[in-house]
Amino acid sequence: MENAFLDHISATLSEIKSAGLYKTERQIVSAQGGRIDVQHQGKRHTRVVNLCANNYLGLADHPRLIGAAKESFDTHGFGMASVRFICGTQDQHRVLEQRLAGFLAKDDAILFAACFDANGGLFEPLLTAEDAIISDALNHASIIDGIRLCKARRYRYANSNMTDLEAQLVDARNGGARFIMIATDGVFSMDGHLAKLPEITALAQKYQAMVMVDDCHATGFMGPGGRGTPAHFDVADGVDILTGTLGKALGGSIGGYIAGPQTVIDLLRQRARPYLFSNSLPPAIVAAGLEAIDLVENSDDLRARLFENTVFWRAGLERLGFDLLPGEHPIVPVMLGEATLAQDMASQLFEEGVFVAGFFFPVVPKGAARIRTQMNAALTRDDLEFSLAAFEKAGKSVGAIK
Ligand SMILES: *Cc1c(COP(=O)(O)O)cnc(C)c1O
């Protein structure tokens, strides 16, 4: 490869490093869970409390999911070696799609390799240059990319700013848009706050727009029965299309989906490019996904523990004097300001036996660096008390609290 090119790449890497934005990965040598074993810089850290997984219901190492996956190896094999429409659809792919649709009260659902692909493939088959998409400024990267791949006119509103959303709806209508779709995350994961779905669905109705919600950080635990943010706000009928993941609360492995009206799902099966041109989900993932839905439909106890943990954790951090963003979601961001402070605090916490990650620019605005803590149902009261003690010690040491 040309030296000039590799030099250019090295220079970019150096820029990332000198800005303090270079990310390194600590290796987990156990299963994902409330406590994990971590190998880092030649040292093994055992039974570290994990406060940064999207493992909301603690299903990532659940014996029932593991059992279902193991059993499926014998009944359905290992891989599909095909996209869905050629020879990659097993009975259980359709069962999972229908279970997801039933759980979310939609006509049907379609599986993708990940929600990134679901969002990437959603817009282009449904909307054309005659149409408009209005997108929240803080939407997930995969929604942004999906919109880029679609010819519809693009409008953007400031995060959760309903005045701005209405202005964009008026603009799109005045611009002669045939169909308008509003696209939003159900939960904005950097802050843990929920989209204003009651207002969004009301505005959609006023301007005859459709609503698409990406509920990755909500499906399985937010709202009655864990049916997500539309159910939480009791506006499920006003949300036309839902996207979501099997990679967070629903077992934490991999896989995404879109749920919505039958005709929409039928057309996506014909036209969505990540569906047509990428491999089918492996049988074990599908079998475990079905088990996850089963557990979620019967897991009020797991949801109860998740939210008990959330209340306990938030109150504990507040008592210690940390600056938190308000909210009810299991994402509890501890605001620190400078990127270096967030990084120092994260590495000290790791030495104390608590696994967290600092978030800083460009993932969050400059000066708004934070440690994003996340609760889950696998964490015990002991784990949380241990973590609060570590936060107190590290917080005092870096000067984040007195
Ligand atoms: C995690 C996430 C995704 C990506 O999901 P994958 O299934 O991991 O690709 C998409 N959108 C949002 C809002 C997410 O939080």
Side-chain angles (χ1 to χ4, degrees):
M1 198 172 274
E2 215 189 322
N3 278 342
F5 175 71
L6 295 179
D7 289 348
H8 162 71
I9 300 297
S10 299
T12 305
L13 285 169
S14 304
E15 275 168 32
I16 297 173
K17 281 182 186 154
S18 61
L21 303 175
Y22 196 81
K23 294 181 279 299
T24 53
E25 297 171 3
R26 294 166 282 188
Q27 295 177 9
I28 298 174
V29 292
S30 63
Q32 182 64 280
R35 295 240 183 193
I36 52 178
D37 297 342
V38 183
Q39 186 76 30
H40 189 55
Q41 293 171 342
K43 192 170 153 212
R44 199 184 174 95
H45 303 247
T46 52
R47 299 200 32 84
V48 175
V49 179
N50 187 357
L51 299 185
C52 51
N54 300 314
N55 183 24
Y56 293 109
L57 295 174
L59 300 186
D61 62 347
H62 197 286
R64 275 183 54 189
L65 271 65
I66 295 168
K70 280 183 178 164
E71 200 182 310
S72 87
F73 287 128
D74 294 329
T75 58
H76 286 73
F78 177 66
M80 290 312 299
S82 171
V83 299
R84 286 285 300 275
F85 80 92
I86 300 178
C87 54
T89 298
Q90 287 176 325
D91 50 351
Q92 56 175 12
H93 287 94
R94 281 302 290 148
V95 176
L96 178 56
E97 287 172 337
Q98 280 161 352
R99 285 293 299 277
L100 282 165
F103 177 61
L104 299 167
K106 295 291 177 221
D107 294 347
D108 201 356
I110 175 173
L111 290 168
F112 288 81
C115 189
F116 204 105
D117 291 325
N119 289 336
L122 170 68
F123 301 99
E124 186 259 346
L126 302 180
L127 301 167
T128 72
E130 289 178 76
D131 306 313
I133 303 172
I134 307 184
S135 175
D136 188 289
L138 281 194
N139 276 345
H140 190 264
S142 54
I143 298 180
I144 296 170
D145 287 7
I147 293 172
R148 280 185 187 147
L149 294 170
C150 171
K151 293 202 168 60
R153 275 169 280 167
R154 300 169 203 159
Y155 299 80
R156 200 167 79 137
Y157 60 100
N159 175 237
S160 290
N161 182 326
M162 295 297 109
T163 313
D164 197 11
L165 172 57
E166 182 154 22
Q168 302 305 319
L169 282 160
V170 169
D171 258 14
R173 274 279 161 251
N174 290 342
R178 177 184 54 171
F179 302 120
I180 301 178
M181 186 179 288
I182 302 170
T184 182
D185 283 13
V187 176
F188 296 96
S189 59
M190 290 304 131
D191 299 336
H193 68 241
L194 312 187
K196 295 177 179 166
L197 292 185
E199 292 90 335
I200 291 171
T201 50
L203 282 170
Q205 200 169 27
K206 183 170 169 190
Y207 293 92
Q208 283 148 30
M210 299 172 278
V211 178
M212 170 273 182
V213 174
D214 171 348
D215 230 8
C216 278
H217 279 282
T219 305
F221 60 96
M222 293 300 293
R227 289 176 163 77
T229 53
H232 173 87
F233 288 115
D234 197 16
V235 294
D237 287 347
V239 175
D240 304 283
I241 294 174
L242 275 167
T243 67
T245 183
L246 302 178
K248 292 180 174 128
L250 302 181
S253 65
I254 193 106
Y257 57 85
I258 299 170
Q262 192 64 56
T263 50
V264 168
I265 302 304
D266 289 348
L267 182 62
L268 290 171
R269 239 182 258 289
Q270 302 305 312
R271 294 271 170 84
R273 291 166 68 83
Y275 184 85
L276 294 177
F277 297 105
S278 188
N279 208 27
S280 192
L281 275 183
I285 298 298
V286 177
L290 278 165
E291 202 65 27
I293 300 279
D294 251 6
L295 272 162
V296 160
E297 286 187 324
N298 301 292
S299 73
D300 280 330
D301 54 330
L302 292 176
R303 280 188 284 276
R305 195 170 326 142
L306 167 63
F307 285 101
E308 276 160 29
N309 282 350
T310 302
V311 168
F312 179 82
W313 178 243
R314 193 172 257 291
L317 289 174
E318 266 167 11
R319 201 168 346 98
L320 292 174
F322 283 104
D323 179 15
L324 308 180
L325 289 182
E328 55 193 313
H329 192 273
I331 291 173
V332 182
V334 179
M335 304 306 286
L336 294 162
E338 291 312 311
T340 46
L341 189 60
Q343 276 175 313
D344 286 353
M345 176 105 178
S347 49
Q348 286 210 26
L349 282 166
F350 188 55
E351 291 308 316
E352 296 297 323
V354 176
F355 197 108
V356 292
F359 285 67
F360 37 83
F361 185 79
V363 180
V364 296
K366 282 201 170 118
R370 66 200 65 183
I371 284 174
R372 182 180 78 174
T373 64
Q374 285 169 285
M375 286 298 104
N376 69 60
L379 295 164
T380 64
R381 191 51 60 91
D382 267 1
D383 295 335
L384 297 185
E385 278 166 358
F386 173 86
S387 303
L388 284 172
F391 264 77
E392 180 170 20
K393 190 169 167 198
K396 282 181 177 160
S397 147
V398 303
I401 54 170
K402 287 197 203 79

